[in-house]
Amino acid sequence: MFTPKRASVLTTPNSARVTRSQSLKTTNEFFNSSISASGGGAHNRISLTMSSIYNDAILESFKAPLPIKIKELIFNLKSQNSFQLNATILSNGHICLVNDRKLYIWKLKKTFKNIQCNELSLPFSRSLIKQNCVSVECHNNKEYVGLCVTVEGSIRYWPSIFNEYLCVDEKIDIPQNDEVAHLMHIYENFYFIITANGNYFSVHIENSEGKCVISSKKIDLSSSLLSSVGRRMTSLIFGGGQNLNKNSQSFKSAVRYKSSPELFVLVDKSLQKIKINNENIFSMLNQASMDKLFYEEYLDQNPDSTRVAINFQDCSITKNSLYILAVVVEDESPVFCIGEVDTSTSSNDLKLKSFHILSYRVSQSDSYNYKFFAMDNQHAFYIYNQNSIISFTGPTLEFTGESKFNTLGDRIIASNFCDNDLIFFSLNHEILKVKDNSLRLSIDEESFAGTKADQSLEFSHLKSNVSNYRLNDLNSSVQSIGENTSYYSGMPRHTFDFTFSNLATSEQLALNKLKEAFQCYLKKEERESQNLIDELVTVDLADRKLDFICVELSEKLIDDVPTNDPRWAELTKAKSMNTNIIISNQLKGKIRLHDYFIAFLKKFHLWDKLSTLEYNGREIRSKFALQEHAEKLQLALVIREQLYTRNQELIDLAIQYITKNREDLNSKLIYPHDVFYRRVSKIDEIFNAFFVIESEVIKNNSSEQAINYLIDTTFFFAKLLKTSQNYCEEKKKLYENFHEDSIEFIKWTFTPVSEITSAIPSVINLSVKQHKLCNEFGLSNCSTLEKKTEILQNLFELDSLLFEEYETRLDSIDDETSYMNLKVTYDSIKTKLIQVYIKNKQIDNALRLAEQYIDLSTLTTICEMKNDPDQLVVYLEKFSNSKMAEHVVRYFIEKSRLNFLFKSQFLKRTDISSCVDKYPYLSWIKDFKNNSFFQASETLHNLGINESDSFMKQRSLVSMSKLSLIASNSFTSDFNQRLEALNRYLKYLNYIESIAEKISDMNALPVEQIPAYKPEKLIEIYINLEDASETEFKKAFELIDFLSDDQSTSYTEGQKEQIKVEILVRSILADNWEQFYDLNYPESRLNQTKFFKTLYLLKIKGENLDRLITLQENILNHELLEHLAQSTKFMYLLQACFEMLA
């Protein structure tokens, strides 16, 4: 168990060196054993192999950063050893990442700006939505729509991915033991769904009266037509068509070349060619067994082969060809094989045009899971799985390289073509693309061999030096293999030691000239300064580049090496502008020097020339970047002079954790504190270090000691954030921090601190984690009320500062979408954090935070807890601009607390009333409360008519509508018509109720889940009941009268007579008529048949038998009576039945 020890007081340099050496050894042992070996946590560093990204023969960075939200998500999943996510790269440049029930969507952009990421909620599913089951498309060049489908077939459609609340849900009925495997966008508002067992569905999005409606149909390719096309009566009454996919199949891949009407589906071992016409009709053009073709081609090249197993993997399509990838296993030796199918001709033949066995040995596995891409118009193929990418180029498909992703926590989660680039998404390396020179290898076959040899030499050289790799060597390493370094020269600080360390020669000269001008200013040689600046602005730089060199010089000032200290002087030849050697004095000297630098920029009119720049992965005003440097200097001084006296051992351990891998510690003269306070630009790493140390102490020490560390860490977080905010407010005029432009102000507290080998969460993220740790561990393990109160007080201070950070950022956002995305995140965090105070009965603190930062959920919760509707009315007035009425209504609906919502104080408010009206299932209750019974009846009637899931629920709604109508005492013509319509519909529902038990038994369905069948469907159920009696056949006749009530379908008299014929035919088939043929007097037995009894009941009911007699010929010609109609005895008996009842 680790027990932190307070640092000993150092008296002499010698003793200090010994003590430091021992302390470092102990601390390093602690971190190596407790942290690195744990395999997780925010501190667990993930090393990248340089040969797999920057110096790879196949891949290079796509130079498109991930959104901050995605970086944090991936980091958190890694820290939890959880990889419950997948992603889809769409050809239009969008990436869709699925984690749990969240969908994150962003657009690939080659920029250093913070990429906006939309977060959407997914429908419930027992497992993650699969790859390629999400679609994002642009409609009318302005609106981005989204659609996803879960494995169970739940569809969710977003008319705008920027407005989650407009989503529409639908469910397709997929067979049991099947699941959705692929979603393909055909054209605007039309999609194609494929299941794992090879079932097909079409999904069409329609706009009806301003609302989006999802319609889905199962596609039956057995007759090369959609199963829904055909004789309506046949499908509704006599049964549907046959299903093509009766046997369990295994979906592999589906491809389509751009907007071609033809698509290819690889299912199990068969390739299907499907075409869709202008009327959305799918037809099967051909189907071929690929395993047979592959087997024959393989034997042609390997005649001695005997036992061969073919495992199809994927297919890829180009303009003129379809390529199919398979792993062929012979004698436990798997190899890749690629077959080519010609798609350039009008013929529908699916034959192999060429067949290649690749010269690459595949690792043996129980299950192979490879995907691949074929490059259009090039002999280049890229085969990949989660851990490697293999390239084959040239006419003979020679192996040309392999990139492996074997580092801890890394894998490929998505890939696709985007703007003619082949893109891969890796967890560690983010967005990669296939190098352009890698693609060009296949064009010039002669240069290919030489290039390949050169790359092999470069790789061998790289591998031998990878252990000696340093960040400062990046440019030289890249140049040594011929890469263009222009990209690296502008990389943000989170990748290199300094923000702009790798400057071009001209920029470096300009930086030196600016530094020289500043030095002249400090010496009061202002004329010389002015001359240098005039030359700098007019000759060396454009105004735009001025931002970069000013921020670069500012960062070098705060990170200045104190070379007046003889220990540092041995490490560098550079001269410091700071003459102090004591750490506190060094920091104060840097603060003064930075203040002078700001004054220098303003005096010589450089300040007004500053605009914006990309800094630390975000675009901000240059003045804010300079302010950030000044803030971090203040933080460093507070840590040194104030926090250190509160808990020295926590500060010492945090500093040792931060500096243990810094190169400055290679010198025995320099101590961790020297290194930490020298690099002020990275002072924000202390937040993560506090959290890491605290977490380890909680894990390995007593609760009392852990609580003390927890309290101090929370206090440190709050103190540093408060120092930062106070400084910003104090220096607001100095830095012109008024947010007057349209650029979002993303403060450094929101930016993750990243390195090539690790990623540290942002200060905001860490603050939320700290709150969670205090809640889950601290408050539940406190032994005294005093400690618990101290934790809550520190949390209150920290939460207030955290909310201020969000409020400041929100105030700077002009774009509505960006504003709403951040606000949704903020509101969610805010509510969760304030709930802790309610849980611990700190109602006053919860109210203070909720009122100050407008947390509508908390305000509503507390008013409900206190049963104080009057106070909630006060809040509704106070926060009316924040749409509190909508929130209050939604809150009580979600909590199922409708009694509180329908109190008199709320019902008389127009804002609450209008919000309730948006929920028809509630609006009728409000109408009841307000004695508006006629309006309630109308609402209930509409709900009942539109209810299709349960006939019992429909009956309840219609019954309540009738009672409401009677209670209204509105005896008008509308009243009588509506009452008659309600009575008629209730009468119809009785027909369903009378056979509900039989339907339940037939379909193994609870009675409550029996749907409200349409009349034509109910007739079909009645006449197909097992052992149906004459009563059921009579009721089927009666239901014909209700066919006209269905406004969506109209029936002619001829169609109704055809249904009557069908009912009578079914009643005839209910008996064995051949038993009457040999009787002397068969007429005496006819009254025992269900046909006769049915006619008798119809006659009693008043049915016109003369009209039924005219249907006798149609009955005899019915296809189901073909075996009886040939007998004259049957014809005689049938006619006798009619005459006996005439």
Side-chain angles (χ1 to χ4, degrees), residues 522-561:
L522 294 177
K523 297 176 184 177
K524 299 185 178 181
E525 298 174 356
E526 296 185 2
R527 180 175 299 178
E528 183 63 24
S529 290
Q530 187 65 60
N531 292 337
L532 289 168
I533 289 172
D534 291 341
E535 182 181 352
L536 175 71
V537 173
T538 57
V539 179
D540 295 291
L541 288 177
D543 287 351
R544 182 66 177 170
K545 292 184 179 179
L546 181 65
D547 298 273
F548 291 92
I549 65 168
C550 286
V551 175
E552 168 73 358
L553 181 55
S554 173
E555 186 169 302
K556 287 188 177 294
L557 289 175
I558 67 173
D559 288 342
D560 193 19
V561 178

Side-chain angles (χ1 to χ4, degrees), residues 582-599:
I582 297 176
I583 291 178
S584 295
N585 292 339
Q586 286 179 25
L587 295 173
K588 293 174 182 177
K590 288 182 177 181
I591 291 173
R592 288 194 298 270
L593 202 59
H594 196 268
D595 289 342
Y596 288 145
F597 182 62
I598 302 300

Side-chain angles (χ1 to χ4, degrees), residues 789-847:
T789 303
E790 188 174 3
I791 290 176
L792 287 169
Q793 188 57 41
N794 287 344
L795 273 184
F796 179 81
E797 183 73 18
L798 177 61
D799 291 343
S800 301
L801 297 166
L802 179 65
F803 298 159
E804 282 294 337
E805 294 289 312
Y806 271 105
E807 295 282 347
T808 301
R809 181 173 174 183
L810 283 170
D811 289 342
S812 71
I813 302 177
D814 292 334
D815 180 67
E816 182 179 358
T817 301
S818 302
Y819 180 88
M820 290 306 302
N821 288 339
L822 181 62
K823 191 174 189 308
V824 169
T825 302
Y826 170 42
D827 289 343
S828 175
I829 292 174
K830 181 169 53 179
T831 300
K832 289 179 181 178
L833 299 191
I834 298 179
Q835 288 299 317
V836 173
Y837 303 101
I838 299 177
K839 177 183 175 182
N840 290 278
K841 300 181 180 180
Q842 297 263 323
I843 305 300
D844 291 340
N845 282 344
L847 274 177

Side-chain angles (χ1 to χ4, degrees), residues 611-834:
S611 56
T612 62
L613 81 164
E614 286 80 26
Y615 185 68
N616 288 354
R618 68 204 195 277
E619 183 182 16
I620 60 171
R621 293 172 60 191
S622 303
K623 297 171 185 177
F624 288 151
L626 298 175
Q627 176 183 290
E628 177 180 320
H629 294 161
E631 287 179 55
K632 290 183 175 181
L633 283 169
Q634 297 296 325
L635 298 187
L637 190 61
V638 167
I639 295 171
R640 183 64 180 177
E641 294 191 340
Q642 298 182 35
L643 302 189
Y644 193 66
T645 58
R646 179 177 174 113
N647 191 333
Q648 293 184 19
E649 59 189 15
L650 176 55
I651 300 290
D652 289 338
L653 288 171
I655 289 177
Q656 290 174 16
Y657 174 74
I658 292 171
T659 60
K660 63 179 179 178
N661 292 324
R662 289 192 183 173
E663 294 179 354
D664 299 334
L665 279 180
N666 290 341
S667 171
K668 296 181 180 180
L669 301 174
I670 307 300
Y671 306 135
H673 280 254
D674 298 316
V675 174
F676 173 72
Y677 289 108
R678 197 277 289 181
R679 189 71 61 81
V680 176
S681 63
K682 294 187 177 181
I683 204 76
D684 47 339
E685 292 181 3
I686 194 75
F687 287 90
N688 181 66
F690 285 151
F691 188 80
V692 171
I693 301 299
E694 165 195 52
S695 300
E696 289 298 327
V697 171
I698 290 174
K699 187 187 305 181
N700 299 313
N701 291 269
S702 64
S703 296
E704 183 178 356
Q705 189 173 15
I707 292 294
N708 292 333
Y709 266 68
L710 192 75
I711 292 173
D712 286 343
T713 300
T714 309
F715 175 81
F716 289 171
F717 271 47
K719 180 66 176 177
L720 294 176
L721 282 176
K722 189 171 185 62
T723 300
S724 170
Q725 293 181 10
N726 288 345
Y727 182 84
C728 290
E729 185 62 29
E730 179 185 347
K731 301 295 183 180
K732 186 174 184 178
K733 293 183 179 180
L734 175 65
Y735 289 97
E736 301 175 8
N737 187 3
F738 302 117
H739 309 295
E740 294 178 348
D741 48 37
S742 59
I743 298 177
E744 179 181 353
F745 177 42
I746 305 176
K747 196 176 176 182
W748 57 270
T749 51
F750 284 92
T751 307
V753 181
S754 303
E755 295 287 353
I756 288 182
T757 56
S758 68
I760 300 174
S762 67
V763 173
I764 296 299
N765 196 346
L766 286 168
S767 298
V768 175
K769 289 185 175 182
Q770 180 65 20
H771 182 108
K772 182 179 179 181
L773 193 61
C774 289
N775 177 38
E776 295 179 354
F777 174 79
L779 295 175
S780 59
N781 288 278
C782 279
S783 57
T784 64
L785 180 61
E786 180 183 0
K787 292 289 185 182
K788 185 174 183 178
T789 303
E790 188 174 3
I791 290 176
L792 287 169
Q793 188 57 41
N794 287 344
L795 273 184
F796 179 81
E797 183 73 18
L798 177 61
D799 291 343
S800 301
L801 297 166
L802 179 65
F803 298 159
E804 282 294 337
E805 294 289 312
Y806 271 105
E807 295 282 347
T808 301
R809 181 173 174 183
L810 283 170
D811 289 342
S812 71
I813 302 177
D814 292 334
D815 180 67
E816 182 179 358
T817 301
S818 302
Y819 180 88
M820 290 306 302
N821 288 339
L822 181 62
K823 191 174 189 308
V824 169
T825 302
Y826 170 42
D827 289 343
S828 175
I829 292 174
K830 181 169 53 179
T831 300
K832 289 179 181 178
L833 299 191
I834 298 179

Side-chain angles (χ1 to χ4, degrees), residues 335-349:
V335 294
F336 288 126
C337 293
I338 296 179
E340 179 185 6
V341 177
D342 188 4
T343 61
S344 61
T345 64
S346 58
S347 171
N348 293 325
D349 290 340

Side-chain angles (χ1 to χ4, degrees), residues 982-997:
L982 290 172
N983 285 330
R984 179 175 174 81
Y985 202 81
L986 288 171
K987 179 181 178 182
Y988 169 74
L989 292 177
N990 288 334
Y991 285 96
I992 303 179
E993 184 179 10
S994 64
I995 59 170
E997 293 294 338

Side-chain angles (χ1 to χ4, degrees), residues 313-407:
Q313 302 294 302
D314 195 15
C315 55
S316 180
I317 194 167
T318 63
K319 184 177 182 180
N320 297 317
S321 297
L322 172 75
Y323 297 90
I324 301 174
L325 173 69
V327 175
V328 178
V329 183
E330 178 184 4
D331 297 330
E332 299 182 350
S333 299
V335 294
F336 288 126
C337 293
I338 296 179
E340 179 185 6
V341 177
D342 188 4
T343 61
S344 61
T345 64
S346 58
S347 171
N348 293 325
D349 290 340
L350 298 176
K351 298 179 180 180
L352 292 183
K353 177 182 177 182
S354 66
F355 185 83
H356 296 271
I357 301 176
L358 306 185
S359 58
Y360 178 89
R361 284 298 174 185
V362 185
S363 300
Q364 190 172 357
S365 172
D366 293 333
S367 62
Y368 302 94
N369 189 15
Y370 288 93
K371 299 291 183 182
F372 90 125
F373 288 98
M375 310 304 293
D376 210 349
N377 298 323
Q378 300 182 53
H379 294 289
F381 295 81
Y382 295 87
I383 301 174
Y384 71 98
N385 58 13
Q386 288 187 351
N387 303 114
S388 66
I389 302 172
I390 313 162
S391 68
F392 301 87
T393 58
T396 58
L397 299 185
E398 294 291 332
F399 168 74
T400 54
E402 181 176 7
S403 297
K404 293 187 176 182
F405 297 76
N406 293 329
T407 52

